[in-house]
Amino acid sequence: MQRKTQGRTDLEVSTVCLGTMTFGEQNTEQDAHAQLDYALERGINFIDTAELYPVPPNAATQGSTERFIGSWLKARGGRDKLVLATKIAGPNGSQAWIRGSKHNHDAANLRAAVDASLQRLQTDYIDLYQLHWPSRNVPIFGANQFDPRKERNGVAIEETLRALADLVREGKIRHIGVSNESPWGVCEFVKQAEIHGLPRIATIQNLYNLTARAFETTLLDEVCYREDVSLLAYSPLAFGQLSAKYVDDPRARGRLTIYPPTWSPRYLRPAVFDATREYAALAREHGLTPAQMALAWCYSRWFMGSTIVGATTLAQLEENIDAAQIVLSDEVVKRIDEIHGRITNPGQ
């Protein structure tokens, strides 16, 4: 398993990162421990979670994912061999169970969130602490047009960085990152850090898969290259859509069928199904499974810091990790770009 250094830090993480947002909803604590054990056996040293998880979020299960990781860490040890990442939820008035309806990226909320995550994770420090989504108005989670009418009073980026700097000085977190961010946001975080001598973001955790390649077309790739910010790609299989299981069997069990359509409408768009059929046919034509091709594509991108994979079974996790050894031919890459040119970013 190859490793890459993130941003301007000393964090060396595996090409594949174990995503954990199913722990506590689709996966039991025993399942979670089995996945974590297997991931380490295969050379993964990078684990990503969030205070919000599992998903879909609700008050009854919130924090279970971190607790499952914490019980595993307590039982297995080896904390110093792992890079552990978690995230603070951004403002969302409907998730009042997370520190009340006014939770945000201010100093009080950041400290409370970090302390609670440390307790659930049963560790003294977090290697990479990320802002799950911005404090300000930004189109995310399937929205792709900026709307000034949705402006809100967000916490200033400088204020957030100063609060994070305190937590870094105290040793509670080592490095910081953002998630679901825009090119402007990345530039502003870097600028404020440099002006005021505050911690610099090392990573951006954003959506990236064959049906959602806006990272390339919004110039985020150039911004991150020039500012030394590494991409951590989430949803590389588009909630399982790119495995082709839903086009092969519309009743297949998974997130797109066991939860209401309102949970992930972007992956239910007709154009996503059209693109998936074409990508699946291409993969099978070249002796690959659709999931293998979709993941091998992500793993091979020049701007990729690490790709976050999630699974509900060990068989799925094995296939996901095995794909890191696959090198796509020039012909396959050319054909992928041709499909993308005709059906562009339907899952964005």
Side-chain angles (χ1 to χ4, degrees):
M1 179 68 67
Q2 293 183 338
R3 295 188 178 184
K4 295 181 179 180
T5 302
Q6 303 303 292
R8 296 180 182 177
T9 74
D10 60 353
L11 292 178
E12 286 194 355
V13 306
S14 46
T15 300
V16 183
C17 172
L18 180 63
T20 61
M21 70 179 185
T22 60
F23 294 3
E25 179 66 35
Q26 292 170 267
N27 289 110
T28 66
E29 187 169 18
Q30 183 178 3
D31 294 335
H33 288 195
Q35 284 197 32
L36 289 159
D37 285 340
Y38 182 73
L40 258 67
E41 289 172 10
R42 293 297 306 274
I44 291 176
N45 74 330
F46 192 18
I47 301 168
D48 179 73
T49 186
E51 66 167 354
L52 181 72
Y53 294 165
V55 296
N58 66 74
T61 60
Q62 187 260 322
S64 296
T65 302
E66 288 185 328
R67 281 189 286 271
F68 288 3
I69 295 170
S71 62
W72 176 80
L73 282 172
K74 182 178 181 180
R76 303 295 194 273
R79 173 68 182 91
D80 60 326
K81 297 180 176 63
L82 298 172
V83 176
L84 185 57
T86 191
K87 300 181 282 290
I88 179 175
N92 186 324
S94 66
Q95 295 168 359
W97 61 83
I98 303 178
R99 297 182 306 284
S101 61
K102 296 187 183 299
H103 62 270
N104 212 320
H105 297 159
D106 57 90
N109 272 285
L110 281 161
R111 182 169 295 279
V114 165
D115 287 344
S117 287
L118 288 171
Q119 184 176 28
R120 287 189 292 263
L121 291 166
Q122 300 194 52
T123 185
D124 296 326
Y125 65 97
I126 295 161
D127 295 289
L128 179 64
Y129 197 63
Q130 306 156 98
L131 309 177
H132 206 153
W133 61 89
S135 174
R136 67 187 191 283
N137 167 34
V138 182
I140 54 173
F141 302 134
N144 50 33
Q145 291 185 332
F146 178 74
D147 186 350
R149 295 171 298 180
K150 295 181 179 179
E151 282 294 89
R152 59 179 181 241
N153 293 323
V155 178
I157 287 173
E158 180 191 347
E159 179 182 342
T160 296
L161 286 174
R162 288 190 183 281
L164 289 168
D166 289 339
L167 295 165
V168 170
R169 280 192 292 269
E170 293 169 21
K172 293 185 176 183
I173 58 178
R174 294 182 60 206
H175 302 286
I176 64 171
V178 292
S179 183
N180 297 294
E181 257 299 355
S182 69
W184 182 89
V186 171
C187 290
E188 188 66 11
F189 269 96
V190 170
K191 181 176 78 172
Q192 293 298 326
E194 291 181 347
I195 289 173
H196 302 288
L198 297 169
R200 201 176 191 281
I201 58 171
T203 58
I204 177 172
Q205 184 176 147
N206 270 33
L207 174 68
Y208 186 82
N209 61 57
L210 287 175
T211 73
R213 292 171 56 179
F215 184 83
E216 305 165 2
T217 56
T218 60
L219 298 183
L220 252 176
D221 54 354
E222 182 191 4
V223 168
C224 291
Y225 171 75
R226 299 196 184 285
E227 300 297 349
D228 292 324
V229 177
S230 300
L231 172 65
L232 307 179
Y234 75 77
S235 201
L237 289 179
F239 271 26
Q241 183 70 268
L242 286 168
S243 72
K245 66 180 181 181
Y246 299 110
V247 297
D248 291 342
D249 178 7
R251 297 169 297 179
R253 183 171 176 79
R255 292 180 210 163
L256 297 183
T257 54
I258 63 178
Y259 300 122
T262 53
W263 165 237
S264 50
R266 61 180 155 185
Y267 297 127
L268 296 174
R269 296 168 184 161
V272 172
F273 283 88
D274 293 341
T276 297
R277 290 187 188 94
E278 295 207 30
Y279 288 127
L282 173 61
R284 289 163 175 160
E285 179 185 333
H286 289 266
L288 302 170
T289 68
Q292 285 176 329
M293 188 184 81
L295 289 170
W297 166 264
C298 285
Y299 297 152
S300 67
R301 297 300 85 195
W302 65 264
F303 46 72
M304 195 66 64
S306 187
T307 300
I308 303 168
V309 302
T312 54
T313 69
L314 286 178
Q316 291 173 341
L317 184 57
E318 181 178 11
E319 182 180 20
N320 293 348
I321 297 172
D322 286 348
Q325 306 304 315
I326 295 171
V327 178
L328 299 179
S329 69
D330 291 343
E331 170 64 17
V332 170
V333 171
K334 178 182 176 182
R335 295 271 300 280
I336 285 174
D337 282 335
E338 287 174 353
I339 296 170
H340 175 66
R342 287 185 284 102
I343 312 175
T344 307
N345 294 336
Q348 194 67 46

